[in-house]
Amino acid sequence: MKFIRNTEFKQYDTLKIYPYLSNKNLFMISLFGTGVYGLSNEEKTYLIKEIQSDTAKYYFNRHWMKNVQFVPQNQKDGWRLSKPIFLRNYLLCAFSFATPYDPDFASQWTYLYKKENGKWSRLLLMGKILGY
């Protein structure tokens, strides 16, 4: 989560987010990306299962990120963050984030991240969120 804060949201002094992590109604994606890091059929099945089985909200730990402000769910300017889904023994991570006030859906994406030498980096775009 610290990596996400320091890269995807580095332009925000204070990040307004909803106080939970949830994949339900956020992590609806069309998967794309091929090659070495393309997901196997087994990994895609696992990913879909993890997305569909997320029926509870996971409360966000304030210590995971600095300069975070929690906003009520009915407030329109908070980011929604997914629960990270890890693959390949925690070497890959699928993560989505979206903001509900984006009329062009330009800020609603799912990325695959990889961990090398103890550090995370964005590997590739997995898909665009289809809607919530």
Side-chain angles (χ1 to χ4, degrees), residues 79-96:
W79 285 87
R80 298 172 68 184
L81 306 180
S82 74
K83 182 181 69 149
I85 298 176
F86 294 97
L87 303 162
R88 300 185 189 171
N89 293 322
Y90 293 92
L91 295 178
L92 297 178
C93 177
F95 186 78
S96 293

Side-chain angles (χ1 to χ4, degrees), residues 42-56:
E42 293 82 13
E43 289 170 324
K44 288 179 184 177
T45 300
Y46 173 77
L47 183 62
I48 290 168
K49 179 183 170 213
E50 286 295 303
I51 292 166
Q52 292 174 343
S53 66
D54 183 13
T55 57

Side-chain angles (χ1 to χ4, degrees), residues 6-38:
N6 293 333
T7 56
E8 306 299 351
F9 300 107
K10 66 182 174 185
Q11 70 271 26
Y12 299 101
D13 291 332
T14 300
L15 181 62
K16 294 181 178 183
I17 60 172
Y18 294 127
Y20 56 83
L21 302 172
S22 180
N23 296 346
K24 189 176 177 84
N25 297 325
L26 172 63
F27 218 146
M28 293 183 228
I29 57 176
S30 57
L31 296 175
F32 36 92
T34 58
V36 175
Y37 292 104

